[in-house]
Amino acid sequence: MKQYSVVPNKDVTGWFVKIEDVAPTDLYDERDTAVAKAEEIAKENKPSKLQIMDQNHEVEEERTY
């Protein structure tokens, strides 16, 4: 199962979409945009899990596709 995550950058000025918790793929200005993109990628690569982190890098929500 592939794992994807949406995490804030260091200054919480942008949001990264990460695959398998390795290098970030893209940086988005808005959290909602990053979540939508990560969701799209996760749905295309089922089975997969998406973790959405808050500004403290704690898991806020987890979705499975």
Side-chain angles (χ1 to χ4, degrees):
M1 180 180 288
K2 293 198 178 216
Q3 189 155 354
Y4 301 92
S5 54
V6 175
V7 295
N9 65 2
K10 194 171 91 176
D11 305 324
V12 193
T13 56
W15 296 83
F16 287 114
V17 173
K18 295 173 104 179
I19 300 171
E20 301 290 330
D21 206 29
V22 188
T25 55
D26 296 301
L27 177 65
Y28 298 91
D29 292 335
E30 295 179 12
R31 180 179 181 263
D32 292 343
T33 307
V35 169
K37 186 60 179 176
E39 207 170 50
E40 182 183 312
I41 296 168
K43 285 179 181 177
E44 289 173 2
N45 295 288
K46 293 177 184 176
S48 58
K49 183 190 279 188
L50 171 61
Q51 289 187 325
I52 302 166
M53 309 290 196
D54 63 14
Q55 60 269 22
N56 299 317
H57 287 264
E58 294 174 3
V59 177
E60 184 175 285
E61 190 177 342
E62 206 167 80
R63 302 177 187 173
T64 305
Y65 301 97

